[in-house]
Structures are given as structure tokens and as C-alpha cells.
Amino acid sequence: WSGDSRYLAYRRPESNRLNAIVIHALDGGKTVRISSGMYEDFNPAFDPGGDYLYFISRRTLDPRFGAFELDFQFTATDKIYAATLRRSLPSTVAPQSDEEKGEEKAKDDDKDKKKDDPKKDEPVKPWVIDLEGIGERVAEVPVAAGLYAGLSARKGKLVYLKIDLPSAYQDDDGGSLTGSILMYDLEKRKETTVVPGVNLGYALSKDGGKLLYKAKDQFGIIDVAEGKKAGDGKIETGTLMALVDPAREWAQMFDEAWRLERDFYYDPGMGGLDWKAIGARYRQLVPYVAHRDDLNYILGELIGELSTSHTYVGGGDRPEVPKVDVGLLGADYTLDAASGRYRFATIYHQRDWNSPVAAPLGEPGIDVREGDYLLEVNGRPVRAPENLFAAFAATTGKQTSIAVGSTPDDPRPRTYTVKPIDKEVTLRYTSWVAANREKVRRATGGRIAYIHVPNTAITGIQEFTKQFYPQLDAQGVIVDERWNGGGFVPDFFINRLRQKTWVYWSDRDGEDQRTPSTGIDGPKCILINQYAGSGGDAFPYYFRLNGLGPVIGMRTWGGLVGISQNLPLVDGGVVTMPDFGMWDPKTSDWLIENHGVDPDIEVENAPDRVVAGQDPQLDRAIEWTLAELKAHPVVKLPRPAYKVQK
């Protein structure tokens, strides 16, 4: 709102999927768009003096090229812009006089300025905004391009958030975006960092002198000045208490969850359900709730009536039970019954270098071998019937001494210092993928690549990239998306997989280069199972839609009504509202939800065969690709001959 509450500036979606900044005059009802429609503009903020409207816009297009192929992305796209509200006003960043003033002259000028200030002691006048042509009166505030949000304008200064690029493991570690709160001094034309390492969001005082920030779970109030750090001005919240009536809160949260589904569910008809009647049926149970988990159970039953994917319930205000961590070494063990000693059966040495999780027994200098015996942990003997893992209680991330021997009573045991980890998932996963890739390589003579994609989020993108580009010399590829946990809509995988050679380029002496620069020309297939869903449903559907090859395995989960809203309940609990579904533009039918993607070649991995170390689904994919290579060999013709002068 403008300072006189007569104008409203807001972001409005445009038909081209970009957002425009619009000013609406309440007194005349006139609406004017500042944006041209060619930019993504957002976060408008009026200057309190009524002279400028500041906003953030994505107009800086500095491409960052990929390391493995000629693709490009744009990350630091945002800058701050200022529109002058009247034609007579200069730009907020107009050139300033560089003349030096004497000390006495400067003091006299300041006195005269205060004396002659026309705004001093005058009542606030209604703002005058020349709406016509305002979109042409825009100037760039000289700050570096970045990712910005939370723009606020106060007298003589702009305050805003610069967002840190998200961590590569953002989708796995449950972290949230962070950034720095910056200030731009309009008089000095200088940008400074107020406080780094904060959560996105802050509250600025009316005069712009102080702000409230949050860093992780800690709040603080600080002056808007350079050089602050997270923790300054800390508000002690540990002793704050509130009197609540749980029964009333639980009733309110039930009603709120019911309303969230009513207002955001993708089908306004609620799938043909009488949503009001369903709410009344389950509301009868709420008075009998005795624990927050009871409420989550009822909410789960309530939204389960929708029979729709991505209906999740969780969280809430409930007691935190202290837990003792148990460190892990990234190994499987067997028990030598005769001696009561534990032996290293399998050691996972190979780590995922995109993950922060190290392989404790894979570090240089630690020579623990499969078949060795674990004799001691931190000087304490380890022997059955004591649980092996009890010896590693409270050791996660701590230097821990282990003694190992080649026999149960080795007179010269070897001692190493290791750092146990809390999760072995990435180590075991990396080993499993490597084993599958080696199986395919041996069975096909290295002609077929193998790629596993665990999800369609960050980790899946990392794994696809890590496995796809090193195998571009293969003649075909098996894409394995079994157990795919979903994430983003995965068209980006398809765009790479469908690339085939158009032409070659050759210089006199070097190797031939191709366009597109990456791609696999031969047969492709994709493996699915019943544990792949969401983005893991979309991936094989798009694979088939683009004619890349057959889908092999068992029908997928069937969950393609997705979620995009994040509106917590009053105590921090959450219910999700499935708010968008996928449909076919040719038939106008909703797709995949509650059914999944059917395979072209159905193959079940029976439990007994899996336990025996077999993988019939992967075996069938190998069989199909070899047959396709035999029927349709991938042949590259020789470079054409050069013309010879007669």
C-alpha cells in the first residue's frame, strides 16, 4: 500500500507465465501495469516519501554453461529496480555532484536545508502518481545480480534478502533456504551486509532502524547496520510459555485441516464426495483425542477419504524423546560362533562424492579387510552375546578407536581411529548401483550402459548426471528407475535421453565431434516397479510417450496428483493438499492417478529370487537390449573422403 493508502502495488500473473507489477488507484479505479510482460517482476515496495516504487526483477541473463554438454542455466538473475512515480522526479540513481564543499559551507547548507525543508511540519498530503508512462520511468539500482526477496523501502535505504544457492542435498537433509539481509544506502550509493546466515524472512521496524530476524530456531532484534552476525540481539525464547487448551487446539486444527482440503484440493467437486458430511463424521471423534498422535490419526483417516496420492499428515506439538545415536562403520558382519567374535563380511569402501557421508573404513590408511575380526571398540572388548552395535553407542562423528585382527585372538591386532557415521544408505546404494552396472557391462561386452535414478529431485539429478555422461560411448542404455521416490516433473531426463546424433564435425587430425554433443543412439528401455511413484510415475510415462523404448517390470505406484502448498497448522503440524493433477490433451482424461504406469514387458522380482541374489527384471532388460542390438546394430559410417585435385 502507498503511504496514503490510495494506491496498491502488487504482483499479477500474466498469460506468458511471468509476473507483472501493477499499480491500482483506488480513488479512480485505474489499473496500470509497470512491467512490459517480458520480465519476471515481483516484490513491489513504495518509497515512504511517495517518490519511487522499488521492485525486484529477473532481467540479468548471464548464462552458466554445463561442464558435460552445451546446456545453460541462469542463477544470479535478480536486481532491484526503481520506477519514478512522477515525471518531474529524477532517477533514484541519477548522477550525484562530485564537487567538494568546505566544512563551513556544508554546515550552512545543512542549516538551510532544514530551514527550507518544505515537508517539515506540514500535514501529510495525498500522493500524486503519474500513472501514464510509468513503465518507461524505470532505473536499475546498482547492486550485483543475485537471487533476491523480501524487499522493503524505508527513508533513504532499501533492505532486502539475498538468497544463498541451495545445498546440493537440500531435498534429502530437510534443510531450508538461507540468505543474508542486505541494506542499500540510497544517499551513499553503497550496499552493505547487515547479517548473514539467516532464514528467509524478516520484520523491519516502521522507521527502518531495527529488524527482527530468525537464524535456524533462534530469533534476534538488531540495528539495521553493517557487521551484525547471527546470534546478535538474541531473544531468549527458552523461558517463554503460553497457556493452551489442547482440546480446543485439536478441534481448531481438525476444522483447519478440513478447510485446507476443501479450498485447495485440485478437484473442486472433491472427487464426488460430500465433504461436509465427511467432516461431520470424523469430527465426532475429536473430543476423544488424548494425544497429538491421536489427532494425526484422525486427520489421516479424514483426508484418506479422498483416495488421492500425496495426502500426508505429520508433525505437531508433542514431546521430544531424547535418543542416543549409534555409530556405523559401513559394513556387514557375521558371527563366529566358536569364538563369539564379529567378523567383517562386507565393507562398503566406495562413497558418493556428492554426499557428505564418508566411508569410515574406506579412508586412506585404514586397512580393515573383509574377513577380519572386530576385537575392541575404544579399548573395550567386543564379544557375543553383547550386541555389536551397543559398542558404538554415542560415537557418531567422533574419533573412535577400533582394534581388528586376522584371527579371533590375534596377538598383534591392528588399531585404527575412525569416525562412525549415522547412516549407511548412500554407501550401500553406491555399491548396489556399481554392481548392477558391472553386471550389465559383463553381459553386454560394454555395449550397454546402466543408469539408476533414485528420484526426480536433487539426488536423482546428481545420479543421472554422474552415470549418464561417462557412458556416452555405449550403444544402448538401460535406465533403472525402480524405487524412484519422485520430486520434480522429470522432463529434463527425457530431453537428454532422446538426443541422437544429427551430424558429425571433423577437423584434420582430431576425433569426430557430434551434434548434439551428447546422446546414446541405440536401444533404450526403462525398468519400473511398484515402489516407484510421483515423479517416478511420470518418468516412465514420458519415456514411453516419447517413443524411447519399452517399459519393463511391474506397474508403478500411481500417484500423480501433486502438492505445492505449505500451510502449517497452529502447532506446526502439517496436512498436505493435493492441488494439481496431470491429464492427456488428446483425450482430456486424467492420467495415472490411482493406477500407475503399466509395463510393456511385465516381469516380477519374486522375493525368493531376490533373496537368492537374482534380479529377473534387470536380466530381462539385458536380454531385450542385446536382441535389439542384434536386430538393429548401431553403425557409424567412416568420415567422408577429401576431394583430391586432378
Side-chain angles (χ1 to χ4, degrees):
W1 288 99
S2 63
D4 63 354
S5 299
R6 294 171 57 242
Y7 296 93
L8 173 65
Y10 59 95
R11 179 179 71 172
R12 185 177 72 187
E14 297 293 298
S15 59
N16 58 4
R17 300 184 65 194
L18 299 178
N19 289 287
I21 299 297
V22 171
I23 293 182
H24 179 69
L26 297 184
D27 51 1
K30 188 176 182 180
T31 299
V32 174
R33 189 177 70 176
I34 292 179
S35 308
S36 67
M38 295 298 293
Y39 306 109
E40 171 72 1
D41 299 336
F42 56 100
N43 200 170
F46 278 114
D47 161 34
D51 295 331
Y52 302 97
L53 176 70
Y54 298 95
F55 59 95
I56 300 172
S57 183
R58 293 188 172 140
R59 305 187 181 192
T60 304
L61 303 179
D62 183 13
R64 293 292 182 263
F65 292 98
F68 302 108
E69 63 177 300
L70 191 61
D71 61 347
F72 50 87
Q73 291 295 327
F74 303 92
T75 52
T77 56
D78 305 355
K79 284 191 176 181
I80 299 172
Y81 297 83
T84 57
L85 298 183
R86 291 181 296 284
R87 298 186 189 88
S88 59
L89 288 172
S91 164
T92 187
V93 290
Q96 294 175 311
S97 173
D98 58 359
E99 293 183 6
E100 294 289 341
K101 292 184 178 181
E103 186 175 340
E104 293 300 320
K105 175 64 174 173
K107 289 181 179 179
D108 291 342
D109 286 350
D110 287 343
K111 289 179 182 178
D112 293 341
K113 188 175 181 181
K114 292 178 182 178
K115 180 179 179 181
D116 299 333
D117 186 356
K119 297 181 181 179
K120 185 180 180 182
D121 299 327
E122 287 186 7
V124 177
K125 295 182 179 179
W127 285 18
V128 176
I129 298 180
D130 297 329
L131 292 174
E132 188 171 343
I134 191 171
E136 300 172 2
R137 304 194 301 269
V138 174
E140 180 185 290
V141 176
V143 299
L147 293 178
Y148 293 110
L151 176 64
S152 301
R154 295 295 187 269
K155 185 177 182 181
K157 71 180 71 167
L158 302 175
V159 179
Y160 45 96
L161 278 157
K162 186 172 186 178
I163 304 171
D164 299 329
L165 289 176
S167 163
Y169 258 59
Q170 200 79 44
D171 64 330
D172 291 332
D173 62 15
S176 57
L177 292 175
T178 60
S180 299
I181 299 176
L182 307 181
M183 176 184 70
Y184 184 81
D185 189 306
L186 292 163
E187 179 66 28
K188 297 178 180 179
R189 307 285 174 88
K190 180 182 178 183
E191 181 185 63
T192 56
T193 298
V194 178
V195 56
V198 299
N199 297 22
L200 300 191
Y202 67 91
L204 192 64
S205 64
K206 186 175 181 180
D207 64 358
K210 293 185 180 294
L211 64 81
L212 169 70
Y213 71 89
K214 183 182 180 185
K216 294 184 177 178
D217 293 326
Q218 177 179 291
F219 290 91
I221 297 177
I222 55 175
D223 293 329
V224 181
E226 185 178 6
K228 307 299 181 181
K229 63 181 184 300
D232 289 350
K234 179 180 178 181
I235 300 173
E236 294 293 345
T237 59
T239 58
L240 297 178
M241 299 180 67
L243 184 64
V244 300
D245 183 338
R248 293 181 65 187
E249 273 199 350
W250 294 333
Q252 188 277 337
M253 285 188 281
F254 177 89
D255 289 340
E256 180 74 0
W258 179 87
R259 284 193 297 267
L260 288 173
E261 303 299 335
R262 179 196 66 186
D263 295 343
F264 291 99
Y265 188 63
Y266 83 109
D267 175 3
M270 305 303 288
L273 298 174
D274 185 341
W275 193 240
K276 186 174 181 180
I278 288 174
R281 182 195 309 163
Y282 285 99
R283 190 174 290 107
Q284 299 175 71
L285 301 175
V286 176
Y288 302 99
V289 169
H291 189 278
R292 184 61 173 81
D293 285 344
D294 294 345
L295 179 65
N296 277 346
Y297 178 82
I298 294 173
L299 294 179
E301 294 295 299
L302 170 73
I303 65 177
E305 293 280 353
L306 295 168
S307 297
T308 305
S309 61
H310 298 89
T311 43
Y312 304 132
V313 177
D317 189 6
R318 43 189 191 175
E320 292 290 336
V321 180
K323 298 179 181 178
V324 177
D325 66 89
V326 175
L328 303 170
L329 296 183
D332 293 326
Y333 306 87
T334 58
L335 175 64
D336 179 29
S339 65
R341 296 291 193 182
Y342 295 98
R343 300 185 74 179
F344 292 94
T346 305
I347 296 175
Y348 299 97
H349 295 96
Q350 188 176 359
R351 65 172 290 182
D352 173 11
W353 293 103
N354 287 298
S355 166
V357 179
L361 301 180
E363 296 293 325
I366 298 178
D367 188 21
V368 179
R369 305 162 198 168
E370 293 176 354
D372 282 343
Y373 294 82
L374 177 64
L375 304 178
E376 294 181 355
V377 176
N378 285 333
R380 174 184 168 190
V382 179
R383 192 187 299 267
E386 179 189 13
N387 187 308
L388 164 71
F389 298 103
F392 290 96
T395 61
T396 302
K398 299 175 183 176
Q399 292 190 3
T400 302
S401 173
I402 61 171
V404 300
S406 56
T407 65
D409 299 303
D410 194 330
R412 301 181 65 183
R414 308 187 304 278
T415 302
Y416 303 102
T417 299
V418 298
K419 278 190 176 181
I421 56 179
D422 64 339
K423 297 175 183 175
E424 298 173 333
V425 175
T426 61
L427 304 184
R428 294 175 180 273
Y429 172 75
T430 301
S431 175
W432 179 77
V433 171
N436 284 350
R437 185 167 60 247
E438 178 62 14
K439 176 179 179 177
V440 173
R441 186 192 69 79
R442 289 185 178 182
T444 66
R447 292 179 293 167
I448 301 298
Y450 169 85
I451 299 170
H452 185 264
V453 185
N455 59 37
T456 59
I458 299 298
T459 307
I461 294 171
Q462 289 174 328
E463 289 297 326
F464 182 90
T465 304
K466 182 170 66 176
Q467 299 172 48
F468 177 67
Y469 292 105
Q471 301 184 82
L472 288 175
D473 57 347
Q475 298 177 26
V477 60
I478 297 170
V479 180
D480 188 349
E481 74 110 45
R482 294 174 295 177
W483 298 279
N484 187 294
F488 304 121
V489 176
D491 53 318
F492 40 82
F493 292 147
I494 302 300
N495 290 336
R496 284 159 175 78
L497 287 169
R498 68 184 179 185
Q499 291 183 164
K500 290 188 176 182
T501 303
W502 300 343
V503 296
Y504 284 102
W505 300 80
S506 303
D507 55 19
R508 179 187 297 183
D509 302 312
E511 294 184 355
D512 299 331
Q513 304 297 320
R514 51 173 287 177
T515 300
S517 60
T518 61
I520 296 176
D521 288 345
K524 303 176 181 70
C525 62
I526 189 167
L527 286 174
I528 62 172
N529 67 7
Q530 61 271 36
Y531 302 107
S534 191
D537 287 303
F539 191 8
Y541 183 83
Y542 295 161
F543 193 93
R544 176 189 289 146
L545 190 67
N546 283 271
L548 295 181
V551 179
I552 301 173
M554 297 298 290
R555 189 174 69 183
T556 60
W557 177 53
L560 269 184
V561 177
I563 50 177
S564 64
Q565 305 288 339
N566 182 21
L567 299 172
L569 301 177
V570 69
D571 70 345
V574 63
V575 296
T576 57
M577 302 82 73
D579 57 351
F580 62 97
M582 189 172 83
W583 56 279
D584 189 334
K586 295 179 180 178
T587 64
S588 195
D589 292 328
W590 296 104
L591 294 171
I592 298 175
E593 182 68 22
N594 280 327
H595 181 82
V597 176
D598 291 302
D600 299 306
I601 304 173
E602 184 173 301
V603 181
E604 183 176 7
N605 272 10
D608 59 325
R609 299 190 66 179
V610 173
V611 170
Q614 301 173 24
D615 190 340
Q617 292 170 340
L618 182 56
D619 293 340
R620 185 66 180 89
I622 293 171
E623 177 187 337
W624 182 86
T625 51
L626 286 175
E628 282 295 301
L629 275 182
K630 184 176 181 180
H632 309 286
V634 177
V635 179
K636 179 191 172 187
L637 296 176
R639 184 184 301 186
Y642 295 101
K643 293 182 179 179
V644 178
Q645 289 185 346
K646 295 181 180 180

